Amino acid sequence: LNWITPPPETAIQYSFSILRTIGAIQRDGTVTYLGKNIHQIPCHPRIANALIFAASYHVEHAAARLLAFLETENLFLNDLSSDIETKIAQIDYENNQYFTLRKIESQLITIVKSLNILKRNHLLQEEYQESLILCAAFPDRIAKRKDICSFEYTLCNGSSACMHHSDKLQQHEYIIVAHAGGITSPPKISLALPIELTMLKKFFPEFFTKERN
């Protein structure tokens, strides 16, 4: 089936690169076992991969809560703080937003329980549990602060993004960015969580390459 309006070739190639990064396809385009499971979850492949990653560590309920929030992220972007945990804690439990989140969360749990996911023998470190889940969704948006006095971060995909000067997450050298945008240049980080380099190396060693001297 041909495209009515073909997307830009760069966009297609970037989409394929994301699928390869999360392990959904091999370099030759062959769909992996993980990719087939991702296909069974009716949401963005990033979100599906994070849910499967969390389920393999027995924390699918925590993941469903976080990922349900990301599926409705447009409701929570207008805030000076980018910290996702702060935003989730501020949700009005009498508001329709809460009931929308609970419905999505329940659907994600039901779907992931129907999949045959290889379980691991250990859990994610609780302090960085949600950050690691977010890394599984956005491996290309792991970011490092440019310097200790800077509000600007460099993402793994080569782009830059900045925080508001009052954002408490700026104290962290490494963060994982779920959303950045707006009219500013570089774009403003509006959804993120802190992460430690040691946790990345422990749970995502495939993200690192050894440099030859």
Side-chain angles (χ1 to χ4, degrees):
L1 183 65
N2 295 326
W3 294 95
I4 297 176
T5 303
E9 182 63 25
T10 53
I12 294 175
Q13 292 306 316
Y14 182 69
S15 297
F16 275 116
S17 73
I18 293 300
L19 292 175
R20 284 192 292 268
T21 300
I22 65 176
I25 60 174
Q26 298 176 355
R27 288 193 174 276
D28 63 0
T30 304
V31 179
T32 63
Y33 181 78
L34 172 61
K36 291 177 181 178
N37 269 339
I38 287 174
H39 180 67
Q40 299 300 314
I41 302 176
C43 56
H44 195 286
R46 290 183 182 273
I47 302 299
N49 184 59
L51 185 62
I52 292 169
F53 169 81
S56 72
Y57 284 100
H58 311 273
V59 290
E60 56 268 27
H61 287 274
R65 170 177 169 268
L66 170 65
L67 299 174
F69 172 85
L70 294 181
E71 285 286 83
T72 56
E73 64 180 24
N74 61 305
L75 299 174
F76 307 96
L77 297 182
N78 297 321
D79 193 350
L80 295 181
S81 173
S82 63
D83 183 47
I84 292 175
E85 274 301 298
T86 299
K87 292 175 183 287
I88 291 177
Q90 292 173 346
I91 294 173
D92 184 351
Y93 287 83
E94 299 300 323
N95 193 291
N96 286 337
Q97 294 174 354
Y98 171 72
F99 296 105
T100 299
L101 290 173
R102 288 292 293 171
K103 182 178 180 180
I104 297 173
E105 181 180 339
S106 176
Q107 290 172 340
L108 290 175
I109 289 293
T110 300
I111 293 168
V112 77
K113 284 186 175 181
S114 69
L115 303 177
N116 184 21
I117 298 172
L118 178 65
K119 300 290 185 176
R120 304 172 194 262
N121 294 325
H122 55 286
L123 301 178
L124 296 181
Q125 185 166 329
E126 187 171 355
E127 182 181 1
Y128 291 101
Q129 190 175 97
E130 294 190 332
S131 298
L132 290 166
I133 292 168
L134 208 59
C135 287
F138 303 100
D140 55 319
R141 298 186 197 169
I142 297 168
K144 182 181 180 181
R145 190 177 56 207
K146 289 198 170 180
D147 61 68
I148 195 168
C149 298
S150 177
F151 304 117
E152 193 169 336
Y153 284 77
T154 301
L155 282 67
C156 280
N157 60 19
S159 64
S160 295
C162 66
M163 285 185 176
H164 189 272
H165 64 83
S166 65
D167 197 317
K168 69 177 184 178
L169 285 189
Q170 62 167 298
Q171 63 184 292
H172 296 278
E173 183 179 9
Y174 291 92
I175 61 172
I176 171 67
V177 179
H179 186 279
I183 60 175
T184 61
S185 181
K188 176 178 171 288
I189 298 169
S190 51
L191 291 174
L193 284 173
I195 188 65
E196 290 290 337
L197 187 59
T198 53
M199 292 293 101
L200 289 172
K201 289 182 176 180
K202 179 179 179 180
F203 290 97
F204 298 102
E206 67 274 17
F207 292 172
F208 297 85
T209 56
K210 292 183 179 180
E211 293 185 355
R212 294 182 178 180
N213 295 328

